[in-house]
Amino acid sequence: FAAILGLGHALVRGQRGWRALRQPLPALTLSTTALFGYHALYFVALKRAPALEANLLNYLWPLLIVLFAGLLPGIRVRAGQWIGTGLGLVAAVVLVTRGGGVELRTEYLPGYIAALSAAIVWAAYSVLNRRHADTPSAAIAVACALVAVLGAATHACFETYIEPDARQWLVLAGMGLGPTGAAFLLWDHGTKRGDLALLGSLSYLAPLLSTLLLVGAGQAAPHLSQAVAVALLLIGAWLSLRKPR
């Protein structure tokens, strides 16, 4: 669905739209490998480990973005951004565990490794994508199409097909238009032209927003841990945005 949206947009724009899809092979290889690898690893993690622990390990990717960004020449990560990212990680732990504990068990080790690997892949992609800042963000549609082909091939080799019903097709279309469509386009633009360290810090808003959406939809109950997480995230965001005099 994301690929159809992107390619359809190029078709409407005519020659200008098709030119925007052109990109160097290294840029296409990076985005295709990262998008496919991250989601494949994340799905494996959710199948091989409890969702709570898998998500916590996966939520290390914003912290890793800040860490990797600090290794790039010409990028300086401020102390406030380090602290803000750390508070974001603490907020994510509080939010996901609802203030409880986490127990890592050896029988789920393959799932833990997959979740951590997914975090590393996404963080590395987000930082390395800066090297292809001249490539239009619209070109991500080509990567989405290739990832769809790779996903279908992997599914055919390792999984059993289950026909989605009409409601599930609508949900899949919505996901393709938004969380795995427009979001990829915006993220591509942000990683190529934005402050990478700040992006990493503010990315911890993702688990908070998803939780608030669940509460608003009546799929989760309000909890004190959510208020604590909001406070930590607001402080972390302020520290990340605050610039020295």
Side-chain angles (χ1 to χ4, degrees):
F1 285 110
I4 290 172
L5 175 66
L7 297 176
H9 181 255
L11 180 63
V12 170
R13 296 180 65 198
Q15 289 187 350
R16 184 180 177 185
W18 291 118
R19 283 197 299 268
L21 298 181
R22 296 175 183 173
Q23 54 194 301
L25 183 59
L28 179 60
T29 302
L30 174 65
S31 56
T32 302
T33 304
L35 293 183
F36 175 75
Y38 170 77
H39 288 92
L41 288 166
Y42 184 56
F43 294 157
V44 169
L46 292 178
K47 286 185 177 183
R48 299 295 181 90
L52 188 150
E53 288 88 346
N55 272 314
L56 280 179
L57 289 170
N58 181 60
Y59 280 138
L60 287 172
W61 63 262
L63 179 63
L64 292 173
I65 286 178
V66 178
L67 176 63
F68 293 162
L71 301 176
L72 287 180
I75 294 182
R76 177 176 174 269
V77 182
R78 302 191 305 273
Q81 292 175 324
W82 283 112
I83 299 172
T85 306
L87 288 175
L89 177 59
V90 174
V93 173
V94 171
L95 197 63
V96 174
T97 63
R98 296 173 70 90
V102 179
E103 181 182 1
L104 300 179
R105 300 166 61 179
T106 55
E107 60 262 37
Y108 299 128
L109 184 60
Y112 299 154
I113 293 175
L116 182 58
S117 299
I120 293 172
V121 166
W122 192 255
Y125 160 65
S126 301
V127 173
L128 291 174
N129 202 35
R130 177 61 64 94
R131 299 175 61 186
H132 304 291
D134 295 335
T135 301
S137 293
I140 198 72
V142 181
C144 289
L146 293 176
V147 171
V149 173
L150 290 172
T154 306
H155 169 64
C157 293
F158 300 106
E159 298 178 326
T160 302
Y161 178 72
I162 298 176
E163 178 66 33
D165 58 31
R167 179 178 176 276
Q168 290 170 334
W169 276 117
L170 287 174
V171 172
L172 290 170
M175 290 174 64
L177 296 176
T180 58
F184 287 164
L185 184 72
L186 294 170
W187 187 252
D188 182 87
H189 181 83
T191 54
K192 287 177 177 176
R193 295 172 176 81
D195 184 332
L196 286 173
L198 181 59
L199 282 175
S201 299
L202 297 182
S203 291
Y204 275 115
L205 290 170
L208 172 63
L209 292 174
S210 62
T211 301
L212 294 180
L213 283 173
L214 288 172
V215 172
Q219 299 298 312
H223 192 269
L224 178 61
S225 61
Q226 296 160 5
V228 174
V230 169
L232 290 170
L233 282 167
L234 287 176
I235 295 172
W238 178 76
L239 288 171
S240 299
L241 288 167
R242 181 174 176 272
K243 293 185 177 181
R245 294 179 180 178

